[in-house]
Amino acid sequence: EIVLTQSPATLSLSPGERATLSCRASQSVTNYLGWYQQKPGQAPRLLIYDGTTRATGIPARFSGSGSGTDFTLTISSLEPEDSAVYYCQQRSNWPPLTFGGGTKVEIK
Amino acid sequence: EVQLVESGGGLVQPGGSLRLSCAASGFTFNNYWMSWVRQAPGKGLEWVANIKRDGSEKYYVDSVKGRFTISRDNAKNSLYLQMNSLRVDDTAVYYCAKDPAAAPYSLYYFDNWGQGTLVTVSA
């Protein structure tokens, strides 16, 4: 089973700042990694898939990068509505499809 | 507009059974892989099971193998999860989720989710 480790656990930044979230895989997932955003009381929303491809309707301030075992989700200029928990998910070697433990982004 | 509406959750004793349903609309249901994903209270996301477009392939996380069964009825645009021998650690919100890619492709991510149904396993 591929284990995904996300860091940091919590990120506290001000509006307009750049957020950098990390996801590290226990073995290579090539580029088969996605990112989700989940706000309290809501279902997750797909942001990025296959490492770098933005899902439909996702603003350009969200971008993904990386390959192999190290991936990054960047939010270029934080908006207040970006306060959420962000999860990564791999589909390289399954079953099982696995998620990381999440990074909470707080907006000051 | 894609809609996924789960139902069937509730309180059940350890060892009991529940059947979850997910009613799909707004897309051609039989063109997509479908999954169940759960989230324990205050915890992260865990993929539970998925099923191929025609129901011919089904996959499970190890912790539910032999206890849970995923199925679908394409004529009714519905997805199901039969949960038997429920344990306290199965307590979670269960989401129905759709693959982003239509047949013949599959991406094994989740681009549309229901609102979730809460399953509580407790004596």
Side-chain angles (χ1 to χ4, degrees):
Chain A
E1 172 177 329
I2 294 179
V3 176
L4 300 177
T5 302
Q6 292 188 240
S7 62
T10 305
L11 200 51
S12 185
L13 296 168
S14 298
E17 289 193 299
R18 183 184 192 91
T20 303
L21 288 66
S22 173
C23 178
R24 177 163 289 177
S26 58
Q27 62 189 79
S28 176
V29 298
T30 57
N31 68 324
Y32 297 136
L33 189 108
W35 292 93
Y36 298 82
Q37 176 193 66
Q38 187 179 32
K39 298 180 180 180
Q42 296 184 17
R45 177 173 70 146
L46 178 64
L47 299 174
I48 302 286
Y49 63 92
D50 285 352
T52 60
T53 304
R54 269 191 301 276
T56 303
I58 301 303
R61 66 180 183 275
F62 292 94
S63 63
S65 62
S67 64
T69 60
D70 291 303
F71 295 84
T72 300
L73 174 70
T74 301
I75 311 172
S76 60
S77 179
L78 279 166
E79 302 279 348
E81 63 264 30
D82 298 334
S83 178
V85 179
Y86 293 81
Y87 295 95
C88 56
Q89 178 236 319
Q90 68 83 22
R91 63 119 173 166
S92 173
N93 187 356
W94 70 279
L97 296 163
T98 54
F99 291 88
T103 290
K104 184 176 184 179
V105 174
E106 297 177 341
I107 310 297
K108 293 178 184 174
Chain B
E1 179 195 3
V2 172
Q3 282 204 315
L4 298 168
V5 180
E6 301 96 337
S7 60
L11 174 64
V12 61
Q13 292 188 335
S17 298
L18 275 179
R19 189 193 195 210
L20 306 183
S21 299
C22 171
S25 61
F27 65 103
T28 305
F29 183 69
N30 62 8
N31 277 356
Y32 295 85
W33 281 72
M34 296 293 296
S35 289
W36 289 97
V37 178
R38 67 184 178 182
Q39 186 169 36
K43 302 298 185 183
L45 301 168
E46 180 181 40
W47 170 80
V48 174
N50 65 0
I51 185 167
K52 196 176 180 178
R53 292 174 284 271
D54 61 358
S56 61
E57 295 180 33
K58 305 174 184 182
Y59 300 94
Y60 301 89
V61 68
D62 280 352
S63 60
V64 309
K65 276 181 188 174
R67 300 188 300 122
F68 290 11
T69 302
I70 189 171
S71 62
R72 64 192 296 163
D73 185 336
N74 287 340
K76 294 183 178 180
N77 289 342
S78 293
L79 178 72
Y80 305 101
L81 187 67
Q82 177 67 44
M83 304 187 295
N84 298 331
S85 303
L86 281 160
R87 309 190 302 218
V88 171
D89 62 356
D90 293 318
T91 295
V93 173
Y94 284 74
Y95 294 102
C96 162
K98 170 188 158 291
D99 192 287
Y105 306 105
S106 312
L107 284 175
Y108 309 111
Y109 300 104
F110 316 107
D111 69 338
N112 290 96
W113 301 62
Q115 84 289 348
T117 188
L118 176 63
V119 172
T120 303
V121 185
S122 174

